[in-house]
Amino acid sequence: MPPRLTHLDETGAAHMVDVSAKDVTQRTAVAEGVVTMQAATLDLIRSGTAAKGDVIATARIAGIMAAKKTHELIPLCHPIMLSKVTIEIDFDDQLPGMRIRATTKVAERTGVEMEALTAVSVACLTIYDMAKAVDRGMTIGQIRLVEKTGGRSGDWHAETGNAG
């Protein structure tokens, strides 16, 4: 049987997937993204002297808050009780810019991929917002799911593109 979009019913109408028959399992997801900028902007953020305040701390909090509100932003996502959200932000002088990584964890009947992707996206947007006064040319990109564990479909890793 060919793969199908789970958020569409037999008639093609959008619907929220019924997860009531699924087992509650430990599930994690990791997503990443990149913000590129001028080297001077990266140095300003690194120094902690940006006009709006601590860019890294603000982006980390924004990412965590966004993960918790994913079901309010993405119409067919289930509200879930996250057990953990972490946001890692690393400076990369080669870009120049920052690499952002979000990890989400839950014991639930549905996965946390969208929460991790939302967390990364909003953390990246927050970095842009905090530094746009000095660098409107920043770019946000390479947002992707890196891995997910747990659930009926098992583990998935971007490096292999499949379970394993």
Side-chain angles (χ1 to χ4, degrees), residues 53-77:
D54 187 339
V55 174
I56 303 304
T58 305
R60 186 174 289 118
I61 292 167
I64 293 167
M65 290 175 64
K68 294 168 28 175
K69 293 187 170 285
T70 299
H71 71 281
E72 295 176 22
L73 301 169
I74 311 294
L76 301 176
C77 283

Side-chain angles (χ1 to χ4, degrees), residues 12-71:
H15 73 105
M16 189 176 205
V17 174
D18 181 358
V19 297
S20 60
K22 290 183 171 185
D23 292 331
V24 172
T25 62
Q26 289 291 328
R27 299 161 187 261
T28 61
V30 179
E32 65 185 13
V34 173
V35 181
T36 57
M37 61 195 64
Q38 295 173 16
T41 307
L42 183 60
D43 290 342
L44 177 68
I45 293 170
R46 184 183 279 129
S47 74
T49 59
K52 285 191 172 183
D54 187 339
V55 174
I56 303 304
T58 305
R60 186 174 289 118
I61 292 167
I64 293 167
M65 290 175 64
K68 294 168 28 175
K69 293 187 170 285
T70 299
H71 71 281

